[in-house]
Amino acid sequence: MFRKYMLIILLIGISAHGQGESVNENLLIFKSPSPNLISLALQTHKQKLRFGEQDNYFITPHGDYINAKAEEYLKVDMKTVEVAYGRQGFITLLKMKFQADLFDNMDKEYFTERTNNMYEEDLKSYTAQNHILKAANSLSTRKEMKRYFCNSDLTKEKCERTYGDDNYSYRSIGQEIYWGGMGANEFQRLRNYKEFVNANLKTLQQWSAEVIPDNVVDGYFVAKSILGKYDFKAKGYWLRDFHGSNNFLVNFYNLEPVDSYERKLLHKNGTQILLKMSPEVAESFSKNHEYIFMVFDIKAKIKGVKSYRNDTLKTSYSLNSPIINLYTDDSLTLNIGELDITNMTTRTR
């Protein structure tokens, strides 16, 4: 059961059934509707969106790290940046989708200033303007970033260096630059804001409405568990701590259980799942592996945002299958077997 084998997935560009434009090289591409905006690349597994733990391209299936001197480093780094931009842009579009009403209240001519006492309409305008700033930072191409966020009057050389064609990593993930860039005056800032809104707001709103149109999408949720110590009495390893630190959109505890087997996964004290393995196999196995990656076939649901004051996305998922596939690498190429939640052994802490 635990004999390792390589699972090679060859993905050819095909229709993505409403999820995007195409799947290629284990990526789902949401093609940009405008030359001003970037296309979005998201990781996949078996041609479906990959949620939860993401593939770290710098770690090979056998656990080696690709360092800066390696021949493939540049290609790996570029792909890492591409999917990081993709995730950030995708989340930005979803938030815009569920807060479309905010933009009806947004002042498109002047900045709405934050004060201690604001009417609801003004607060919504202020919030919407912040969303537009985030969208511009998340989704603009290099050329447009240079146009709206680089003050070439003061930092021409830095603008060219930062947003030049040879710089694929032209912004930090989560970085938010204000209109006009460093040193811009209030006239430059307002002018850039208005120009971006006039050129891109309608396109962004339409694109956001088309992303996962029914707010439900089939995919795979990947949970990462530490292998831990071998339990000689139980004859196996107890898999635990499935929440991870690299989750995309869906968290393990977002599961909506439909039966007693699924409810066991969400015990309030935490559930541990037994990965059965003989001591003879486990001794050599533990020398080569530190983590197990558990893959669930799911239906993810995007439920909206908590409120316009707190734009955290609300998500959940249900299981399409009781089978959990197990891998030893985050690239999901080295499969070691599967578990069935209807007959697996569990315990609580």
Side-chain angles (χ1 to χ4, degrees):
M1 176 180 178
F2 296 99
R3 181 169 58 88
K4 294 183 288 184
Y5 62 89
M6 182 70 73
L7 177 63
I8 302 175
I9 303 174
L10 177 61
L11 293 177
I12 303 174
I14 59 172
S15 168
H17 305 293
Q19 293 183 6
E21 291 295 325
S22 63
V23 180
N24 192 28
E25 295 183 356
N26 288 359
L27 294 177
L28 176 62
I29 308 298
F30 288 81
K31 185 174 175 57
S32 169
S34 166
N36 299 337
L37 307 171
I38 62 170
S39 293
L40 307 178
L42 300 179
Q43 291 183 1
T44 63
H45 176 59
K46 296 182 179 179
Q47 302 184 11
K48 295 180 182 179
L49 272 178
R50 173 174 174 161
F51 300 100
E53 190 75 20
Q54 297 290 285
D55 185 358
N56 183 343
Y57 298 131
F58 285 104
I59 300 177
T60 70
H62 297 287
D64 301 319
Y65 189 82
I66 299 173
N67 62 50
K69 296 181 180 180
E71 182 179 350
E72 66 270 35
Y73 179 85
L74 180 61
K75 182 179 179 180
V76 170
D77 194 39
M78 292 177 70
K79 190 174 182 180
T80 299
V81 169
E82 180 186 19
V83 296
Y85 288 167
R87 288 193 296 268
Q88 179 178 253
F90 187 72
I91 290 173
T92 298
L93 286 177
L94 287 177
K95 289 180 178 180
M96 286 192 68
K97 174 181 184 176
F98 289 107
Q99 296 184 299
D101 62 307
L102 286 182
F103 300 101
D104 295 334
N105 292 283
M106 188 178 78
D107 191 331
K108 301 175 180 61
E109 294 297 322
Y110 302 101
F111 290 130
T112 302
E113 300 294 334
R114 180 64 189 257
T115 62
N116 291 331
N117 298 304
M118 301 181 72
Y119 291 109
E120 190 81 358
E121 184 177 318
D122 292 333
L123 186 55
K124 287 185 175 182
S125 176
Y126 175 81
T127 304
Q129 288 181 354
N130 283 335
H131 280 308
I132 284 296
L133 180 61
K134 291 177 181 178
N137 275 272
S138 300
L139 292 159
S140 294
T141 62
R142 269 191 296 261
K143 181 179 178 181
E144 296 303 293
M145 286 291 292
K146 180 179 177 181
R147 175 181 176 184
Y148 295 114
F149 299 106
C150 204
N151 185 0
S152 59
D153 292 342
L154 299 178
T155 56
K156 186 174 182 179
E157 291 185 4
K158 184 178 180 181
C159 286
E160 292 300 328
R161 185 170 62 251
T162 303
Y163 301 109
D165 292 338
D166 59 338
N167 185 6
Y168 58 90
S169 181
Y170 56 93
R171 60 169 176 259
S172 299
I173 301 302
Q175 180 185 24
E176 192 171 300
I177 306 170
Y178 200 66
W179 302 108
M182 184 182 298
N185 58 42
E186 62 270 34
F187 303 101
Q188 292 171 309
R189 290 173 179 175
L190 183 60
R191 182 165 56 248
N192 287 8
Y193 162 71
K194 291 170 64 175
E195 287 179 359
F196 181 86
V197 168
N198 290 334
N200 299 291
L201 177 57
K202 289 183 179 179
T203 302
L204 284 168
Q205 287 181 298
Q206 183 176 352
W207 195 12
S208 69
E210 295 170 353
V211 172
I212 310 185
D214 56 0
N215 304 322
V216 177
V217 59
D218 286 325
Y220 291 95
F221 173 73
V222 182
K224 178 181 178 180
S225 171
I226 192 168
L227 191 61
K229 287 187 176 182
Y230 185 78
D231 187 329
F232 287 93
K233 290 184 178 180
K235 290 185 170 54
Y237 291 100
W238 291 102
L239 304 181
R240 63 190 189 278
D241 298 330
F242 312 129
H243 49 83
S245 59
N246 189 22
N247 281 329
F248 171 57
L249 270 184
V250 175
N251 186 284
F252 179 79
Y253 297 106
N254 294 148
L255 173 64
E256 293 182 335
V258 298
D259 56 37
S260 60
Y261 303 112
E262 294 182 9
R263 281 191 286 274
K264 282 199 301 184
L265 293 172
L266 301 178
H267 194 280
K268 64 180 181 179
N269 294 329
T271 299
Q272 298 180 0
I273 300 171
L274 181 64
L275 172 59
K276 295 180 180 180
M277 191 180 297
S278 70
E280 294 77 19
V281 173
E283 185 172 5
S284 59
F285 186 84
S286 62
K287 293 178 181 178
N288 299 312
H289 305 293
E290 185 178 357
Y291 300 102
I292 297 295
F293 296 88
M294 309 167 64
V295 181
F296 300 78
D297 186 352
I298 70 166
K299 186 179 296 295
K301 303 171 186 176
I302 317 298
K303 294 185 170 182
V305 295
K306 291 184 177 180
S307 70
Y308 72 84
R309 292 182 177 90
N310 179 359
D311 66 354
T312 302
L313 284 170
K314 297 186 295 184
T315 62
S316 67
Y317 68 96
S318 56
L319 298 182
N320 291 327
S321 167
I323 302 301
I324 307 171
N325 278 285
L326 306 175
Y327 297 83
T328 56
D329 65 317
D330 63 6
S331 299
L332 307 182
T333 61
L334 301 175
N335 182 277
I336 61 167
E338 61 185 35
L339 294 170
D340 188 328
I341 67 171
T342 64
N343 58 27
M344 67 186 182
T345 303
T346 63
R347 73 178 185 184
T348 57
R349 297 177 185 177

